[in-house]
Amino acid sequence: MTRMAAILVSCVLLLAATSCHGLKYGYYNRRCPPAEFIVRNVVGNAIRQNPGIGAGLIRLAFHDCFVQARSCDASVLLDPTPANPRPEKLGPPNFPSLRGFEVIDAAKAVLERVCPGKVSCADVVQFAGRDAAFFLSGYKVNYGLPGGRLDGRVSLENETLAFLPPPSFNLSELVESFRVKGLDVDDLVVFSGSHTIGRSHCSSFSDRIGTPPSDMDAGLAAVLRRQCPANPNFNNDPRLDNQYYKNVLRRKVLFKSDAALLTSTETARKVVENAAIRGRWERKFARAMVKMAAIEIKTPANGEVRRNCRVVN
């Protein structure tokens, strides 16, 4: 076990009862009692108007946590400035596909009216990802999440390619990209399950639908060839559940990184378990989200609570 993984495991265990690295369950109970309710209410309203935005919020939480040295610090929200014209949100893994920024803005605006200067944008991002999973799963993914993250002041486009795993990665590359963040193979398989929702762009899987055929189901490949180069969305039913794993077993998935889960005995076994055991994936997803949201937390020396999530104070 790496040092980072050991720290994260220790934090997850400690958080069940107390705090770790400044994170604490009920962190806003006194600082801003309605904070989590406000975020959930804004997220719920947004998803009722546009269910697809929920997938964007879950992906936003993941992308914010995965960039080196600025993890889970809302650096993905920072807009371009003359001093920094190329922040994370303009990196190829994020632009133009990353969505949900306006939902974070809406929640933060309410929070600033009710509790000015108290709730960080980093916490809003993670609460929003949690709440999106809650609504999209039909309330089955429901978990407490500690608060107390601080917002970072640095955001660099070039670090997105270095640390966000692309859909073209094979299994070894995926495992390594998770390992350096203190996450393990089980976390990799669990987070892949969120691919059951959201949009997919042809450029992300065009190498798997040409001729000769790949390991993709032939019927799905034929449909995709007819649809591209448009941007198809084969996930019009925005339910967050274990259907993804059933699709993997049927080879009805888009990305090379999805198909890669069947290339080892260990990950293939986990796919089968998540597909077959009712409620297993939902429990594991909740646990993995808490673990991820504790990655590399900022301290008062290098973090702040932004007033506006798009710019540093």
Side-chain angles (χ1 to χ4, degrees):
M1 181 181 291
T2 66
R3 181 174 180 273
M4 176 62 74
I7 291 172
L8 284 178
V9 169
S10 298
C11 283
V12 171
L13 293 173
L14 283 170
L15 283 168
T18 175
S19 61
C20 182
H21 292 324
L23 299 185
K24 185 178 181 180
Y25 285 106
Y27 181 84
Y28 292 106
N29 285 353
R30 293 185 179 181
R31 293 172 175 84
C32 182
E36 293 191 49
F37 171 81
I38 288 171
V39 176
R40 178 158 291 193
N41 186 56
V42 171
V43 170
N45 288 337
I47 289 176
R48 280 188 285 274
Q49 294 175 28
N50 175 12
I53 204 68
L57 291 169
I58 294 172
R59 187 165 175 249
L60 192 66
F62 180 86
H63 281 220
D64 189 44
C65 286
F66 241 71
V67 176
Q68 179 71 9
R70 278 174 284 286
S71 297
C72 301
D73 68 348
S75 54
V76 73
L77 304 180
L78 289 173
D79 279 346
T81 65
N84 182 29
R86 304 298 300 180
E88 284 176 38
K89 65 167 49 173
L90 296 184
N94 295 331
F95 183 80
S97 60
L98 201 59
R99 300 182 294 159
F101 296 105
E102 70 282 1
V103 180
I104 303 301
D105 290 339
K108 179 64 170 174
V110 178
L111 289 165
E112 285 298 302
R113 289 197 299 270
V114 176
C115 309
K118 298 295 185 182
V119 183
S120 70
C121 300
D123 277 344
V124 175
V125 169
Q126 297 307 314
F127 290 153
R130 183 263 315 266
D131 296 338
F134 172 74
F135 289 112
L136 293 181
S137 67
Y139 317 132
K140 292 178 183 177
V141 176
N142 189 18
Y143 58 95
L145 188 65
R149 294 164 196 81
L150 293 175
D151 302 324
R153 301 185 181 96
V154 180
S155 181
L156 301 174
E157 173 196 20
N158 60 11
E159 291 192 341
T160 60
L161 285 172
F163 296 101
L164 286 167
S168 60
F169 264 14
N170 62 34
L171 185 61
S172 297
E173 292 168 322
L174 288 168
V175 169
E176 177 61 16
S177 69
F178 272 65
R179 185 195 66 79
V180 298
K181 305 305 293 185
L183 301 171
D184 58 27
V185 173
D186 199 45
D187 300 318
L188 163 62
V189 176
V190 166
F191 279 128
S192 296
S194 63
H195 289 173
T196 194
I197 55 174
R199 295 175 178 168
S200 303
H201 296 270
C202 290
S203 60
S204 297
F205 55 82
S206 58
D207 61 321
R208 301 191 66 232
I209 61 174
T211 52
S214 68
D215 58 356
M216 182 184 288
D217 173 81
L220 176 59
V223 170
L224 293 173
R225 282 194 293 271
R226 289 195 297 270
Q227 292 288 331
C228 289
N231 292 327
N233 178 3
F234 288 89
N235 304 289
N236 291 321
D237 183 3
R239 289 181 302 169
L240 186 64
D241 57 24
N242 69 341
Q243 182 62 43
Y244 166 83
Y245 300 99
K246 299 172 186 178
N247 293 344
V248 171
L249 293 172
R250 295 167 184 160
R251 302 188 184 279
K252 292 187 175 183
V253 288
L254 300 181
F255 304 139
K256 180 179 178 181
S257 58
D258 295 325
L261 298 182
L262 295 182
T263 61
S264 88
T265 302
E266 180 184 13
T267 54
R269 175 177 54 81
K270 294 178 184 296
V271 168
V272 171
E273 291 171 349
N274 286 330
I277 302 174
R278 183 184 298 273
R280 182 186 182 93
W281 175 77
E282 288 84 355
R283 292 189 298 271
K284 284 179 168 286
F285 184 77
R287 189 160 55 244
M289 288 289 281
V290 174
K291 183 178 177 182
M292 179 189 71
I295 293 175
E296 298 170 3
I297 302 304
K298 288 286 180 292
T299 68
N302 60 4
E304 62 185 12
V305 175
R306 289 184 213 141
R307 293 183 291 273
N308 179 340
C309 291
R310 292 175 179 265
V311 296
V312 298
N313 291 342

